[in-house]
Amino acid sequence: MNQQTLRLYEMKAQIIQAVGQPIRLAILDFLKDGEQCVCDIAKAVGAERSNVSRHLTVLLNAGILECRKDGLKMIYSLRTPCIMNFFSCVADVLKSQLAKNNRVLQKL
Amino acid sequence: MNQQTLRLYEMKAQIIQAVGQPIRLAILDFLKDGEQCVCDIAKAVGAERSNVSRHLTVLLNAGILECRKDGLKMIYSLRTPCIMNFFSCVADVLKSQLAKNNRVLQKL
DNA sequence: TTAGTATGTGAGCATACACTCACAAAGGCG
DNA sequence: CGCCTTTGTGAGTGTATGCTCACATACTAA
């Protein structure tokens, strides 16, 4: 694997990793219906404001979110809504995984 | 966010997180063309055998890979090839991100 | 059986990550 | 102006992650 290929994998991994965290998944799920400010996001996902702020920074740096300032508030929104396609893929894997577990359970 | 919803996000996050690592991305990319044994995977991605073995365990636990034993060798393969749909989504985000960076660069 | 190969795993280490607390900056409102 | 709200960030902490080395296990072949 050459240096350039590795770099590409690293960039892709950064994006995927940004999505692979429960609270950040909840944030994306909450934002799929439209832009929201930090305090409302924090209420929706049930986490500390400062913590949510950091999670938003991660998603911002990964290029998944964008934000604009509106008076006191910072409004965050999905920059690439295609990111939501992720979730159907993940749901497929999850279903397949649970189905396998069920097969194992039934053999007990 | 109730306990059940949180649990669902955690399960999804586990799957996504399993994919969000450069070497594991390389492994999946290598396996998309067919099953392979550990030593060949290690050669392909250019990492230590023991390290590759652990990465394979992560992907196995996430339900993304499956394996079978063939004599001395353990043969790994994609269990849910739909996982490859991930990558086109990621590529979209990456392109969009690079395009934005280019626009910023041109303003300098 | 003995030697060699493929694989997985315990131990240890360095780093990254998620979280909380406290505080500072920016803006709205009396 | 002073006070409150919203947001981001530095510092500290505990845990998770990725990696390597050494070793044990399982199987093949002479």
Side-chain angles (χ1 to χ4, degrees), chain B residues 37-39 50 53-54 57 72-74 76:
Chain B
C37 69
V38 180
C39 58
S50 64
S53 183
R54 286 185 209 278
T57 304
L72 255 184
K73 299 186 174 179
M74 276 301 255
Y76 287 83

Side-chain angles (χ1 to χ4, degrees), chain B residues 6-24:
Chain B
L6 179 63
R7 185 76 196 99
L8 195 61
Y9 284 134
E10 283 173 353
M11 287 192 292
K12 287 183 179 179
Q14 196 215 350
I15 294 173
I16 299 174
Q17 210 172 1
V19 185
Q21 208 279 347
I23 292 181
R24 294 201 285 269

